[in-house]
Amino acid sequence: MGSNHPRATDSTPRAPRPVPPGQRRVNGWPVSHYGPVPRFRPERWNLRVFGATATGDEHAWTFDEVIALPRRTVVADLHCATGPTSTDHEWYGIPTTAVLELVPPAADVTHVMAWAEYGYAANLRLADFTSPEALLATHHNGEPLTAEHGFPLRLVVPHLYGYKSPKWLRTIEYLTEDRRGFWEERGYHNIGDPWKEQRYSHQEQKDDGPALPAS
Ligand SMILES: Nc1nc2c(c(=O)[nH]1)N[C@H]1C(S)=C(S)[C@@H](COP(=O)(O)O)O[C@H]1N2
Ligand SMILES: [Mo]
């Protein structure tokens, strides 16, 4: 645990990626989350998959089992829905598609809920969760994640706003019907595509998500 891995080496100068509408590029990597930073207790930690699995059984991996799964590198920017975009994150981790292969969902699964410590959760359409760039990240820029950025494991879904990338990931729940996560029921857009500037729930179109509690 905690070992580094070789960096992706690419000396080709690259034009900066464009930032989504209404976002501003920031230097460095701000920390942004709600609530305290959890402490990692390896002996109690697991990654659980439950809900509508194909067999009806749930599955759990220890941390050692998680890091024995296949991993790959993805380079991407991180767009916080409050405006800042931090750039050029080199994530290393388990492709979400590996989770689906190892614990197949039932045929009628349409969404997943990604649960973190302390009840934070983000809902994702199955196709967003399984996007080719989505990872369960263990490392960033060649080093294990730091505690405040999600150690030991965080979901990274680079094509959606940051609130769809839970830090301190613990559980994947397969859903046969969409349900709102933490920010999605507190005024943030159910889908959260930064390129369409889907920031707030009041922008949602009819089929973008389940009804919001009346306010
Ligand atoms: N568990 C948890 N994960 C979370 C959050 C949170 O409050 N709790 N905030 C999200 C939001 S809004 C953003 S923008 C990113 C920020 O990630 P960073 O702190 O690594 O920059 O984390 C996301 N993941
Ligand atoms: Mo955010």
Side-chain angles (χ1 to χ4, degrees), residues 49 61 94-104 129 136 172 174:
V49 183
W61 288 283
I94 300 105
T96 51
T97 50
V99 174
L100 276 277
E101 280 160 29
L102 293 163
V103 188
F129 179 72
L136 315 185
I172 305 296
Y174 292 155

Side-chain angles (χ1 to χ4, degrees), residues 36-60:
V37 173
R39 193 161 74 86
F40 176 49
R41 295 182 187 80
E43 67 291 349
R44 288 201 214 162
W45 192 97
N46 62 9
L47 176 67
R48 245 177 99 215
V49 183
F50 84 111
T53 61
T55 61
D57 295 333
E58 63 172 77
H59 192 87

Side-chain angles (χ1 to χ4, degrees), residues 32 79-82 162-163:
S32 162
H79 316 291
C80 175
T82 63
Y163 60 90

Side-chain angles (χ1 to χ4, degrees), residues 20-24 26 30-33 77-86 160-164 183 188 194 199-200:
Q23 292 294 112
R24 59 179 186 282
V26 294
V31 173
S32 162
H33 58 262
D77 300 338
L78 177 57
H79 316 291
C80 175
T82 63
T85 287
S86 55
L160 298 179
Y161 283 122
Y163 60 90
K164 296 291 191 180
W183 286 119
Y188 284 87
R199 280 179 215 276
Y200 306 116

